[in-house]
Amino acid sequence: MTVTAYPLQWPTGRKRTESHRRSRARFESTFAVARDELIAEVRRLGGRNLVISTNIPLRQDGLPYASYRKIEDEGVAVYFTYEGQPMSFACDRWDRVEHNMQAIVKTIDALRGIARWGTGDMMKAAFTGFTALPAPNAHPTWRDVLAVSASESNLDVVRRHYRLAASVNHPDKGGSHEVMARLNAALAQAEKELR
């Protein structure tokens, strides 16, 4: 998927805040500070290939101008790769672009805190909600089905992911036969590919 920085490219499937429901945030930040903090926060996280998508025209280096006229849609969408997976964060709750950007900065900082405080497995779980959605006609890979990152190529790790998913989704534990069939097919595909 090619992401555009301008005009705003909102993530597919993410709900928008109606313009009359947007409110003033309490962030004390200029646009330039929020933009620079966002870039720094994504770098600290280990994100790569950052694209900040807004309705603000771009400078020659591809970043949005710090000074801009009032625009109708203040939403901000941020795209980057994290551990080989495409991620997207988006916010349009606030009535200023810099405040929406600052909200994303705070969110990423909180997720980094999860890793700093020793619960990194929770960070992976939290990030599943921010994974950029695939195209509607795309079929999920075995990695998608088993929630295995691109950096994990060990069959034992894949089987551990499978067992964890199966323990929650097995029909005897309230899951469905369809989900178990997808998990079984994903495991078979992973075993075939990694042997």
Side-chain angles (χ1 to χ4, degrees):
M1 170 172 91
T2 303
V3 178
T4 60
Y6 175 82
L8 173 64
Q9 184 173 345
W10 196 255
T12 305
R14 297 264 172 95
K15 192 173 179 182
R16 296 297 311 260
T17 303
E18 297 171 17
S19 59
H20 69 278
R21 295 195 181 272
R22 293 181 185 146
S23 58
R24 180 65 43 109
R26 295 184 186 204
F27 298 123
E28 295 293 328
S29 179
T30 64
F31 180 89
V33 168
R35 179 195 61 213
D36 294 347
E37 285 181 4
L38 178 58
I39 293 167
E41 202 61 45
V42 170
R43 280 191 186 134
R44 283 185 211 110
L45 178 68
R48 305 223 183 285
N49 307 317
L50 173 65
V51 175
I52 302 171
S53 186
T54 68
N55 280 323
I56 299 172
L58 304 177
R59 304 181 320 193
Q60 287 185 343
D61 63 2
L63 292 173
Y65 279 105
S67 58
Y68 61 94
R69 284 188 233 151
K70 177 74 174 141
I71 55 177
E72 264 185 53
D73 187 349
E74 299 90 356
V76 175
V78 177
Y79 299 86
F80 58 92
T81 54
Y82 174 73
E83 293 188 355
Q85 298 294 316
M87 298 290 156
S88 65
F89 288 76
C91 185
D92 64 352
R93 179 178 176 188
W94 311 110
D95 64 357
R96 291 188 179 174
V97 173
E98 57 267 29
H99 293 173
N100 287 315
M101 204 174 289
Q102 195 66 42
I104 295 171
V105 168
K106 298 288 187 188
T107 302
I108 294 172
D109 179 52
L111 288 169
R112 281 190 332 101
I114 291 171
R116 286 192 308 267
W117 301 317
T119 56
D121 55 337
M122 291 298 295
M123 187 166 106
K124 276 190 178 183
F127 259 124
T128 59
F130 297 105
T131 303
L133 297 173
N137 59 353
H139 297 287
T141 66
W142 64 265
R143 289 185 183 278
D144 298 329
V145 173
L146 298 175
V148 176
S149 73
S151 63
E152 297 174 307
S153 297
N154 183 323
L155 202 48
D156 290 333
V157 171
V158 172
R159 288 182 178 134
R160 196 170 350 148
H161 280 263
Y162 168 81
R163 284 191 300 275
L164 178 64
S167 71
V168 176
N169 294 294
H170 195 277
D172 293 345
K173 304 223 177 174
S176 72
H177 292 284
E178 293 81 19
V179 173
M180 277 308 298
R182 279 197 300 269
L183 290 172
N184 290 333
L187 179 61
Q189 183 65 36
E191 288 174 334
K192 181 178 176 184
E193 183 178 314
L194 295 177
R195 280 192 190 166

